[in-house]
């Protein structure tokens, strides 16, 4: 009786030490511009990359989203150039600027079929948990570990505890994977799943598209989980068939048989079980500086004076930074700008969901829309979504991490408030002094057309 | 990296929850090469806020940081640990840590010591002050106060010995080669082979 995670773990154990650490095989290692520390370490030791064929380079964190020939900041150009040279030196498959398959690593990897069910996937980026949406064991690692994986194609790990998070019932209209994720994080806390491998289960998870599952797993790290995953099923197989690097024909069918067998056995044991009733999940926004600071859009900003004593100082600090008043309705919070994109919500369905709200309407505030990959950009343009964004008054730009992390210069100015489809509302995440409210892409669109945090549901009436 | 068993130093308190890695080092500093030192980036954007503990002259030379729950959550950036280490820190004491941060800390000789919320509050109440950490015994001594801390035994051994994982893993070369061969047979699709042109990013079933 094994769980999905037990099977993934056991499949990758090379050896175990007496102290409980296991040496695991890495099937797929993604590197990006931020991996420069690890390549430097490898160079210091004169080591080659052990498995170049299993190592994939992607330019995403620093790439400019406006590539109209304007001057690129020298520091940013150097970061991309360093990655390009390291990928060339070590003979890695590389998706750089100008490659139409380029995109955010956690978007383009699954899109290309470079991530497949049953794989162990690592990357020097915490949102590597995303890949669990395909039934892979994906987790973020630091630079020392990146260097270790480059040098050995393995990683030492202690087995995390198993947590099954079941979503019972069905999603109400206007509620999606982002809301499910922010809801559980607000209930269990930003460290609520610390030390755990999360398996998302239940009717509402099964009903999610692969895009939704990738979003749900992406945010696992925001609840402190080591990784998050959804068992592969027919939805997964349909999504993967025909992807560039997925097997074809009989080879696909043989692989699919293996993948479907990864699902948790009936009676599999979990170290911990948590349940969410979908009746409790509404469209959600964050009000504070941690993803756990999330509430239904119909709620009010929490009052530190009414909060448990231990939480009061933190809430007061967060409200001070965010410039919010205790007790004010969330829908009364005016925003200065919006952002749609990121590894959390930069996929085609996300763009469609935002466009469904924006169609025929004008945004009251400026905003940026950055697709998760260049192929998604092309797809969106083929569907006419770019026109919807442009006609609404938003900017339609190239693919990259962009304003989620601001490394490429797409920043929110100090004191400005942004409704954002991203993953972190940390202080300064989108720029020094920036105020971020996390929400689904449809909710970002609702904020854009109203100029304040807003419930998307009335705006969807007659449209879906 | 060299191992260590004892540390005596000045501890400073940062009485906040959720000090995430974006606060420990804002992203805009991460393109700098390490050799110039990352200490000056540590908690950069919190510096200068009224009453910020690390700005206190009494905190100068501190090598131990005490904080509230969920220290180092968020991004996997090891630069957050570089900033602490390059600023002279050898240990962080808190009720809980982001998993990736804690692993990165250990890989750089920085101790993530887990204590109860009560113990963290007891320490925070009397900082800045000198304290002594005994890693083998897993204790923190500050005046008459002695507290115990938790650390994963694997991490403890690594900190004590200063192990380098790449060297350690080299001794398993034969096992790794054996595994790789078996993996290639069992899961040939792991070795990517571009089979056709680019697919449109279709969506499967729309929800």
């Amino acid at each position: 009786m094994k769980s999905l995670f037990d099977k993934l773990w056991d499949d990758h154990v090379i050896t175990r030490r007496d102290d409980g650490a296991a040496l695991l095989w890495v099937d797929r290692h993604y590197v990006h511009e931020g991996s420069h520390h690890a390549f430097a370490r490898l160079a210091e030791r004169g080591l080659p990359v052990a498995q170049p064929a299993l190592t994939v380079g992607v330019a995403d964190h620093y790439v400019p989203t406006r590539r109209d020939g304007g001057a690129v900041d020298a520091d940013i150009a150097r970061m991309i150039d360093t990655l390009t040279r390291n990928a060339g030196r070590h003979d890695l498959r590389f998706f750089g600027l100008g490659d139409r398959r380029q995109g955010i690593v956690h978007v383009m990897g699954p899109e290309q079929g470079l991530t497949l069910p049953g794989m162990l996937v690592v990357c020097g980026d915490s949102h590597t948990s995303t890949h669990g949406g395909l039934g892979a064991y994906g987790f973020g690692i630091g630079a020392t570990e990146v260097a270790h994986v480059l040098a050995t194609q393995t990683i030492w790990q202690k087995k995390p505890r198993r947590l099954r998070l079941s979503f019972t019932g069905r999603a109400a209209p206007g509620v999606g994977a982002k809301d499910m994720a922010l809801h559980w994080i607000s209930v269990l806390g930003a460290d609520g799943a610390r030390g755990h491998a999360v398996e998302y289960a239940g009717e509402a998870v099964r009903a999610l598209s692969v895009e939704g599952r990738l979003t749900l797993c992406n945010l696992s790290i925001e609840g402190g989980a080591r990784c998050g995953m959804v068992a592969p099923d027919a939805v997964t197989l349909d999504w993967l068939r025909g992807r560039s690097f997925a097997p074809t024909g009989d080879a696909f069918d043989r692989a699919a048989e293996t993948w479907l067998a990864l699902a948790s056995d009936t009676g599999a044991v979990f170290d911990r079980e948590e349940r969410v009733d979908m009746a409790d999940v509404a469209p959600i926004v964050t009000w504070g500086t941690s993803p756990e600071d999330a509430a239904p859009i119909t709620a009010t900003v929490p009052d530190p004076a009414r909060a448990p004593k231990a939480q009061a100082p933190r809430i007061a600090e967060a409200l001070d930074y965010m410039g919010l008043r205790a007790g004010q309705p969330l829908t009364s919070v005016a925003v200065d700008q919006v952002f749609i994109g990121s590894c959390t919500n930069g996929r085609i369905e996300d763009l469609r969901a935002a466009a469904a709200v924006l169609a025929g309407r004008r945004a009251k505030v400026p905003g940026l829309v950055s697709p998760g990959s260049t192929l998604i950009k092309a797809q969106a343009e083929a569907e006419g979504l770019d026109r919807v964004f442009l006609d609404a008054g938003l900017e339609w730009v190239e693919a990259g991490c962009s304003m989620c992390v601001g490394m490429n210069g797409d920043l929110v100015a100090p004191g400005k408030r942004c409704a954002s489809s991203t993953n972190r509302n940390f202080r300064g995440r989108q720029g020094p002094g920036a105020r971020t409210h996390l929400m689904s892409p449809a909710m970002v669109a609702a904020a854009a057309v109203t100029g304040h945090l807003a419930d998307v549901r009335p705006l969807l009436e007659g449209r879906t | 990296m060299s191992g260590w068993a004892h540390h005596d130093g000045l501890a400073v308190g940062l009485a906040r929850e959720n000090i995430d890695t974006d606060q420990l080092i804002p992203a805009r500093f991460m393109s700098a090469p390490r050799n110039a030192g990352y200490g000056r980036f540590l908690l950069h954007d919190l510096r200068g806020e009224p009453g910020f503990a690390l700005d206190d002259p009494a905190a100068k030379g501190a090598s131990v940081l005490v904080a509230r729950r969920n220290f180092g959550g968020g991004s996997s950036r090891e630069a957050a640990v570089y900033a602490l280490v390059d600023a002279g820190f050898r240990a962080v004491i808190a009720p809980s840590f982001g998993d990736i941060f804690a692993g990165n800390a250990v890989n750089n000789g920085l101790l993530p010591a887990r204590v109860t919320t009560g113990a963290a509050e007891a320490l925070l109440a009397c900082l800045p002050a000198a304290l002594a950490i005994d890693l083998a015994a897993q204790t923190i001594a500050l005046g008459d106060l002695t507290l115990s801390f938790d650390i994963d035994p694997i991490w403890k051994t690594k900190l004590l010995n200063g192990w380098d994982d790449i060297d350690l893993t080299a001794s398993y070369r034969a096992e790794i080669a054996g595994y790789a061969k078996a993996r290639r047979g069992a899961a040939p699709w792991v070795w990517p082979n571009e089979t056709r042109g680019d697919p449109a990013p279709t969506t499967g079933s729309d929800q």
Side-chain angles (χ1 to χ4, degrees), chain A residues 193-196 221 224-226, chain B residues 71-73 97-104 155:
Chain A
R194 188 170 43 81
H196 289 84
I221 182 70
R226 201 71 185 92
Chain B
F71 186 92
F97 293 90
D99 283 330
I100 307 177
F101 171 84
N104 290 342
W155 285 349

Side-chain angles (χ1 to χ4, degrees), chain A residues 212-228:
Chain A
R213 296 172 186 190
L214 293 166
T215 299
L216 186 62
C217 291
N218 171 277
L219 291 161
S220 304
I221 182 70
E222 306 314 327
R226 201 71 185 92
C227 57

Side-chain angles (χ1 to χ4, degrees), chain A residues 77-106:
Chain A
R78 179 173 53 79
M79 292 298 284
I80 298 169
D81 184 54
T82 302
L83 174 67
T84 309
R85 278 187 291 107
N86 278 318
R89 180 177 304 146
H90 295 287
D91 200 21
L92 312 183
R93 200 181 296 278
F94 178 59
F95 300 86
L97 282 185
D99 188 314
R100 64 197 195 92
R101 300 163 298 177
Q102 175 269 343
I104 307 173
V105 58
H106 311 308

Side-chain angles (χ1 to χ4, degrees), chain A residues 62-299:
Chain A
Y62 287 84
V63 300
T65 48
R66 295 169 185 86
R67 297 175 206 156
D68 47 11
V72 174
D73 177 90
D75 250 7
I76 287 173
R78 179 173 53 79
M79 292 298 284
I80 298 169
D81 184 54
T82 302
L83 174 67
T84 309
R85 278 187 291 107
N86 278 318
R89 180 177 304 146
H90 295 287
D91 200 21
L92 312 183
R93 200 181 296 278
F94 178 59
F95 300 86
L97 282 185
D99 188 314
R100 64 197 195 92
R101 300 163 298 177
Q102 175 269 343
I104 307 173
V105 58
H106 311 308
V107 176
M108 67 74 60
E111 180 176 279
Q112 288 297 316
L114 282 163
T115 295
L116 294 166
M119 281 187 174
L120 190 154
V121 179
V122 297
C123 174
D125 187 281
S126 58
H127 292 110
T128 309
S129 59
T130 310
H131 302 257
L134 288 172
Y137 172 21
F139 55 99
I141 57 178
T144 302
E145 292 171 315
V146 170
H148 185 274
V149 177
L150 287 171
T152 67
Q153 202 59 28
T154 66
I155 187 161
W156 290 99
Q157 288 285 293
K158 187 178 174 180
K159 191 175 178 184
R161 293 182 293 278
R162 296 152 299 184
L163 165 59
R164 180 159 60 189
L165 186 48
S166 303
F167 291 81
T168 55
R170 291 219 148 220
V175 171
K178 183 69 162 282
D179 304 298
M180 291 163 71
L182 289 176
H183 177 87
W184 82 255
I185 295 164
S186 75
V187 172
L188 297 182
D191 55 355
R194 188 170 43 81
H196 289 84
V198 175
E199 177 176 350
Y200 298 99
E203 188 188 355
V205 173
R206 287 282 136 234
L208 288 173
S209 64
V210 168
E211 276 84 353
R213 296 172 186 190
L214 293 166
T215 299
L216 186 62
C217 291
N218 171 277
L219 291 161
S220 304
I221 182 70
E222 306 314 327
R226 201 71 185 92
C227 57
M229 54 193 60
V230 175
D233 59 13
V235 175
T236 321
L237 299 183
D238 285 349
W239 193 87
L240 282 171
R241 206 174 269 118
R243 306 246 157 215
S244 291
F245 294 95
T248 53
D250 290 350
F252 185 93
D253 295 338
R254 280 195 302 277
E257 213 172 300
T258 319
W259 298 337
L260 292 175
L262 290 169
S264 289
D265 299 329
T266 310
V269 177
F270 292 83
D271 300 290
R272 188 176 154 201
E273 295 255 19
E274 298 284 350
R275 276 179 196 287
V276 171
D277 183 345
M278 287 302 291
D280 298 334
V281 185
I284 289 184
V285 297
T286 62
W287 49 264
T289 54
S290 161
E292 69 187 12
D293 301 337
I297 183 64
T298 48

Side-chain angles (χ1 to χ4, degrees), chain B residues 99-119:
Chain B
D99 283 330
I100 307 177
F101 171 84
N104 290 342
V106 171
N107 281 331
N108 288 275
L110 177 73
L111 166 68
R114 221 166 50 238
V115 295
T116 61
T117 304

Side-chain angles (χ1 to χ4, degrees), chain A residues 11 45 100 144 148 195 207, chain B residues 78 99 167 169 179 195 198 207:
Chain A
D11 275 354
R45 303 177 67 131
R100 64 197 195 92
T144 302
H148 185 274
Chain B
E78 197 159 302
D99 283 330
D167 291 342
T169 306
Y179 178 95
T195 47
D198 311 328
Q207 296 297 317

